[in-house]
C-alpha cells in the first residue's frame, strides 16, 4: 500500500467527490495518517477555526464547536447539531414538473414528475448547491446518514474522538 503525500491527497480532494467515495478511499486504514492529512488540508482551506471532525460532503463538515458537534458549511454557515438532518434547515428548490426536471435531466433521462421529484438543497449562507436527492413527491426528506463518530475514531483512526469542550 503506497503512502499518500499531501499533494496526492489534495488532488484527490480537488478531483472529487462526495463523502461516500471519499470514505471508500480513506477506509483502507493501513495508511493511518491519510485521514489526518486530508483533514488538515480541509482545515487550511476554511476560514473558521473549529476543528473538523469529519467531512460529510464536498462543502459540509461535522465540526467541534463550542456549543457542540455541529454541521458547518465551508462558508461558515452553521446547520446545527450533527444528529439532526441538516437538509431541514437548508434552502430547498424542488423540481416537480417536467420542464424544471428536464433542465438537468433532458429527454429520455428525465423522470415522470408524478412519480419523482428532484430536491436541491442550498446553503443559506453562500447559496452553494450542497446536495441533490430524488424522491417520490411527498416522501420525507432523506437523512443521508448519521455517522458514528465514536466508532470512526476508535476503529479507523484508532484514537479517541476529541473531547467536547
Ligand atoms: Zn455555505
Amino acid at each position: 500500500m503506497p503512502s499518500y503525500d499531501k499533494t496526492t491527497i489534495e488532488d484527490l480532494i480537488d478531483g472529487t467527490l462526495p463523502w461516500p467515495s471519499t470514505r471508500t478511499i480513506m477506509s483502507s486504514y493501513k495508511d493511518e495518517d491519510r485521514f489526518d492529512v486530508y483533514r488538515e488540508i480541509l482545515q487550511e482551506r476554511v476560514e473558521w477555526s473549529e476543528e473538523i471532525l469529519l467531512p460529510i460532503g464536498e462543502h459540509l463538515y461535522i465540526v467541534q464547536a463550542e456549543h457542540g458537534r455541529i454541521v458547518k458549511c465551508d462558508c461558515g454557515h452553521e446547520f446545527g447539531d450533527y444528529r439532526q438532518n441538516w437538509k431541514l434547515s437548508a434552502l430547498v428548490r424542488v423540481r416537480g414538473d417536467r420542464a424544471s426536471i428536464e433542465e438537468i435531466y433532458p429527454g429520455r433521462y428525465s423522470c415522470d414528475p408524478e412519480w419523482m421529484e428532484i430536491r436541491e438543497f442550498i446553503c443559506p449562507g453562500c447559496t452553494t448547491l450542497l446536495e441533490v436527492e430524488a424522491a417520490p413527491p411527498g416522501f420525507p426528506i432523506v437523512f443521508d446518514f448519521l455517522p458514528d463518530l465514536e466508532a470512526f475514531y476508535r476503529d479507523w483512526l484508532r484514537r479517541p474522538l476529541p473531547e467536547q469542550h
Side-chain angles (χ1 to χ4, degrees):
M1 168 83 49
S3 186
Y4 290 78
D5 63 20
K6 194 169 172 182
T7 314
T8 311
I9 294 176
E10 281 198 284
D11 290 346
L12 194 77
I13 294 170
D14 289 334
T16 53
L17 277 183
W19 165 248
S21 324
T22 309
R23 181 171 48 179
T24 308
I25 292 159
M26 291 196 317
S27 65
S28 30
Y29 53 82
K30 281 184 179 163
D31 194 356
E32 280 181 14
D33 61 22
R34 197 186 311 174
F35 178 77
D36 290 324
V37 176
Y38 178 68
R39 207 194 58 76
E40 189 186 308
I41 294 166
L42 297 174
Q43 194 82 58
E44 284 168 4
R45 290 180 175 196
V46 295
E47 290 185 1
W48 31 267
S49 59
E50 289 98 335
E51 182 177 357
I52 294 174
L53 299 174
L54 192 67
I56 57 168
E58 260 181 288
H59 302 278
L60 289 182
Y61 316 89
I62 296 173
V63 305
Q64 181 67 66
E66 274 189 30
H67 43 291
R69 293 174 181 143
I70 61 166
V71 173
K72 196 168 172 115
C73 178
D74 48 22
C75 75
H77 181 82
E78 299 185 349
F79 287 90
D81 191 302
Y82 81 98
R83 292 162 298 184
Q84 310 297 322
N85 191 353
W86 64 267
K87 289 177 182 172
L88 298 173
S89 44
L91 303 174
V92 189
R93 174 178 180 186
V94 178
R95 294 176 185 268
D97 60 84
R98 180 141 334 249
S100 66
I101 290 171
E102 290 204 347
E103 283 175 26
I104 45 175
Y105 296 114
R108 64 192 177 92
Y109 296 106
S110 187
C111 56
D112 184 338
E114 295 223 356
W115 293 95
M116 195 69 84
E117 66 185 19
I118 311 284
R119 302 165 181 168
E120 298 174 327
F121 298 92
I122 295 158
C123 176
C126 62
T127 69
T128 299
L129 177 60
L130 296 172
E131 185 73 65
V132 178
E133 74 182 24
F139 193 83
I141 289 175
V142 177
F143 192 2
D144 294 320
F145 83 121
L146 178 61
D148 186 341
L149 281 179
E150 305 276 349
F152 176 72
Y153 273 74
R154 184 186 63 233
D155 300 341
W156 286 7
L157 304 180
R158 293 158 203 271
R159 63 166 185 262
L161 183 61
E163 286 297 314
Q164 303 252 33
H165 303 297

